[in-house]
Amino acid sequence: MLFSTATGYALQTLSILPEDGSYYLARSMSKQLNLPGPYLAKILQNLVQAGILESVRGPRGGFRLARPSEEITVGEVVAALEGPGSLDGCVMGFPHCGPENPCPMHGAWSQVKAQMGDSMTKATLRDLQRLNTRCEPLPRRMKEGEA
């Protein structure tokens, strides 16, 4: 796998999170996706820190998208969890690989990195949500301001 398990879990979770303004419990999302709850909660907190999600504590709390899904790119999610430049570096692990000192995979990997980077900046959470047909809608929680 190119990215960490955390990034995969984040993308799965974000692909089922609706844009209705309601907050959803990490526990509900982890149950629906069959993901480990405490680990998912930590991932979601990282996404809050990155400005991708908003969270509220308490009985009507949970998580929701901080912005419309068409404004959040897959690349932004990957950078939040993997760090900026996650595709940088030599695919073979050589510390001094570069244009002047290329490894055997340098040219091919450079092209793959460019294509992936371009795809991740174009693909949005809305795209993932449209493609996700395996999950039922999450149970609705109260919207902010509802009694």
Side-chain angles (χ1 to χ4, degrees):
M1 178 182 249
L2 186 59
F3 298 116
S4 67
T5 300
T7 297
Y9 287 177
L11 292 170
Q12 287 180 56
T13 303
L14 293 169
S15 76
I16 66 164
L17 201 56
E19 292 185 84
D20 64 2
S22 298
Y23 288 92
Y24 296 88
L25 294 174
R27 176 178 51 241
S28 298
M29 292 183 276
S30 69
K31 183 177 178 183
Q32 183 167 345
L33 294 168
N34 198 28
L35 302 176
Y39 187 44
L40 182 61
K42 182 178 175 184
I43 293 166
L44 297 177
Q45 284 301 328
N46 288 339
L47 295 173
V48 169
Q49 291 172 359
I52 295 168
L53 293 178
E54 295 176 343
S55 68
V56 172
R57 296 182 79 133
R60 291 199 174 121
F63 297 89
R64 71 178 181 186
L65 294 175
R67 302 187 307 277
S69 62
E70 71 268 9
E71 295 178 13
I72 303 170
T73 67
V74 171
E76 185 179 351
V77 176
V78 170
L81 294 167
E82 302 289 334
S86 59
L87 294 177
D88 293 346
C90 175
V91 70
M92 295 183 72
F94 296 141
H96 302 293
C97 177
E100 292 81 36
N101 187 26
C103 73
M105 292 295 299
H106 184 80
W109 180 240
S110 295
Q111 290 175 13
V112 169
K113 286 192 301 186
Q115 290 173 348
M116 285 182 61
D118 185 53
S119 294
M120 289 191 309
T121 58
K122 289 179 181 173
T124 66
L125 294 186
R126 171 77 45 91
D127 298 325
L128 296 183
Q129 290 167 343
R130 286 182 184 139
L131 294 171
N132 186 2
T133 57
R134 73 178 193 116
C135 292
E136 296 294 320
L138 285 166
R140 187 176 176 279
R141 305 264 304 161
M142 293 291 204
K143 290 184 183 178
E144 199 169 29
E146 285 185 344

